[in-house]
Amino acid sequence: KKRIAVMTSGGDSPGMSGAVRAVVRQTIASGCTSFAIYEGYQGLVDGGDMIKEMSWEDVRGWLSEGGTLIGTARCAAFRERWGRLKAADNMVEKGIDALVICGGDGSLTGADKFREEWPGLMNELVTSGRRKPEEVLPYRHLNIVGLVGSIDNDLSSTDATIGCYSSLQRICQSIDFIDATAFSHQRAFVVEVMGRHCGWLALMAGVSCGADFIFIPENPPSENWEEEMCSIIRRHREMGKRKTIVIVAEGAHDRQLNHIKPDMVKDLLSNRIGLDTRVTTLGHVQRGGPPCAYDRMLSTLQGVEAVKAVLEATPDTPSPVICIVENKIVRRDLVKAVELTQNVARMIEAKRFEEAMKGRDAEFEEYWHAFNITTATDKSDMLLP
Ligand code: F6P
């Protein structure tokens, strides 16, 4: 019977606790032993009390909790060989032979490297005298399964990451609140949203809130963007709009990759159009808080699937990442998913923006088009040909 550990890593996201709950319960339901590793890779390196056997009751009430109740951390030691050797030793100590990791692409890549290195680590535990050969014998292979937890929705191969819809919901609520005060004073607001290098949150918030203009890294505005933005917003005002909302993704830049900062946009709206303008940085408000219904379902379905993937794995199966594609929970090759994600980053760096738009799984072009249609006050407002 397998001994399966679950951990969360990288930035927390709403739904991570639900994923842990599902993994723990499906593990126990499958007759296996469940462990949680606290504080991400740091807990794996530290071992001892940081690796805790979990019971059914331990995760009661976790489904609706925000963040991750087993903690997460950025861990320098795990990037070093000695740190991974210590982590491997701790796993042998607890008899753990499978690891489910819920995190972003960096955390998942780290996990797969660990799996690759595993036989070498076992060997080193023996040659260094830390373990007897018979102690490591049952642990010749390590199963790794990834779950994608991130508010950014930046991993290729899946339509949604655990947490992205909760975050989008919080952004929409916040913009609704801002709308009321903006309307009252006829003000403009520049709202900065998270997403790191991915514009999913900004684009979807633009569509969902009917923003006047958005900036995302995958589709930077034209060379003449300052005038273009001002003329669109001027026209919206002439049509009778009392408020203006511009959404800036934190990773936004122009076509030369110069960072577009919310303050730059604010100055333009104030100085060129004369709008009383404020900047709101939503920050970590959009990352914390309870998961929405979708993330509760996604984390539960995917947590269950992760344990099934562990139980069905053979030594030759590449590490899977649990995805959702067209509303179906599916397994994809973890390494390939990370590679595809990094390809999009490279397209942006190389200023191949059209390809970057196509490279994002979530039909960015369709959403971009819909945004432009719905926000336009007439045909000439549309940013697409
Ligand atoms: O990846 C999630 C995320 O919230 C990004 O959107 C953001 O760029 C980053 O993490 C912020 O990280 P930190 O909380 O370490 O400042």
Side-chain angles (χ1 to χ4, degrees):
K1 285 288 172 198
K2 288 200 93 68
R3 293 164 70 85
I4 305 171
V6 58
M7 66 185 259
T8 50
S9 174
D12 64 280
S13 71
M16 277 187 165
S17 297
V20 172
R21 171 179 173 272
V23 170
V24 166
R25 291 197 167 173
Q26 178 66 28
T27 300
I28 296 169
S30 309
C32 301
T33 309
S34 168
F35 293 87
I37 295 160
Y38 283 70
E39 315 303 344
Y41 286 114
Q42 191 61 53
L44 202 56
V45 173
D46 292 346
D49 290 348
M50 304 294 266
I51 306 178
K52 189 177 159 242
E53 190 175 331
M54 299 295 274
S55 72
W56 193 271
E57 288 73 27
D58 283 335
V59 289
R60 180 163 292 147
W62 286 28
L63 186 55
S64 55
E65 293 287 339
T68 163
L69 289 165
I70 58 172
T72 181
R74 304 200 197 286
C75 175
F78 195 76
R79 286 195 205 108
E80 311 277 336
R81 171 94 182 175
W82 68 264
R84 294 193 293 277
L85 189 67
K86 196 150 176 280
D89 192 38
N90 289 331
M91 286 176 63
V92 171
E93 180 74 36
K94 302 269 180 187
I96 295 168
D97 49 8
L99 205 49
V100 177
I101 291 121
C102 183
D105 62 340
S107 310
L108 300 182
T109 312
D112 192 67
K113 288 228 167 78
F114 189 46
R115 177 187 94 134
E116 237 177 62
E117 237 184 6
W118 186 259
L121 292 169
M122 291 300 106
N123 211 16
E124 198 172 332
L125 285 178
V126 174
T127 52
S128 64
R130 265 158 110 155
R131 295 269 163 201
K132 297 199 181 80
E134 59 272 24
E135 279 181 289
V136 303
L137 202 64
Y139 305 106
R140 266 174 308 175
H141 305 289
L142 172 68
N143 280 163
I144 293 283
V145 176
L147 287 170
V148 202
S150 168
I151 62 164
D152 301 340
N153 202 11
D154 55 350
L155 197 98
S156 297
S157 301
T158 189
D159 293 346
T161 55
I162 296 170
C164 71
Y165 278 105
S166 303
S167 180
L168 177 59
Q169 181 66 23
R170 192 107 348 100
I171 293 169
C172 288
Q173 269 172 348
S174 310
I175 294 181
D176 286 350
F177 294 163
I178 290 169
D179 267 353
T181 177
F183 182 93
S184 307
H185 288 262
Q186 301 193 51
R187 276 178 174 156
F189 276 80
V190 182
V191 182
E192 189 192 59
V193 302
M194 281 186 169
R196 213 180 282 269
H197 306 297
C198 179
W200 187 86
L201 284 171
L203 175 56
M204 300 306 150
V207 174
S208 315
C209 302
D212 295 84
F213 205 86
I214 57 174
F215 293 92
I216 62 170
E218 295 82 355
N219 196 13
S222 68
E223 307 293 345
N224 187 27
W225 67 267
E226 282 124 328
E227 198 35 54
E228 188 186 314
M229 177 188 74
C230 289
S231 81
I232 286 175
I233 287 168
R234 243 185 244 119
R235 204 152 44 226
H236 287 182
R237 288 284 173 157
E238 281 159 12
M239 307 272 303
K241 269 189 127 175
R242 287 178 59 90
K243 62 177 172 66
T244 300
I245 302 287
V246 176
I247 299 176
V248 185
E250 64 175 337
H253 44 69
D254 63 17
R255 298 192 90 77
Q256 298 313 317
L257 302 182
N258 302 307
H259 188 190
I260 293 179
K261 297 189 188 83
D263 275 335
M264 292 162 55
V265 178
K266 176 194 171 216
D267 290 345
L268 281 166
L269 297 177
S270 307
N271 302 337
R272 290 210 194 168
I273 318 187
L275 293 174
D276 187 8
T277 309
R278 298 286 188 274
V279 171
T280 301
T281 304
L282 292 182
H284 291 75
V285 166
Q286 67 202 292
R287 203 165 89 188
C292 65
Y294 182 85
D295 281 323
R296 296 177 198 199
M297 291 191 299
L298 188 65
S299 57
T300 302
L301 291 167
Q302 293 195 333
V304 166
E305 181 66 14
V307 176
K308 288 187 183 163
V310 166
L311 298 177
E312 287 165 20
T314 66
D316 313 317
T317 326
S319 296
V321 57
I322 311 300
C323 298
I324 182 160
V325 178
E326 295 182 353
N327 231 12
K328 298 230 169 9
I329 306 293
V330 293
R331 296 174 202 171
R332 293 283 183 261
D333 186 321
L334 189 155
V335 174
K336 281 197 190 133
V338 171
E339 238 170 60
L340 288 170
T341 307
Q342 288 167 351
N343 277 348
V344 180
R346 276 192 281 274
M347 288 167 194
I348 295 176
E349 272 164 35
K351 303 181 190 160
R352 286 161 28 212
F353 303 118
E354 263 179 49
E355 287 171 68
M357 286 291 273
K358 289 196 175 78
R360 294 283 187 216
D361 291 53
E363 307 295 344
F364 266 36
E365 284 183 317
E366 296 298 315
Y367 282 92
W368 183 264
H369 183 67
F371 167 71
N372 281 311
I373 292 280
T374 54
T375 197
T377 47
D378 65 46
K379 247 174 123 184
S380 59
D381 267 359
M382 287 174 53
L383 305 181
L384 276 181

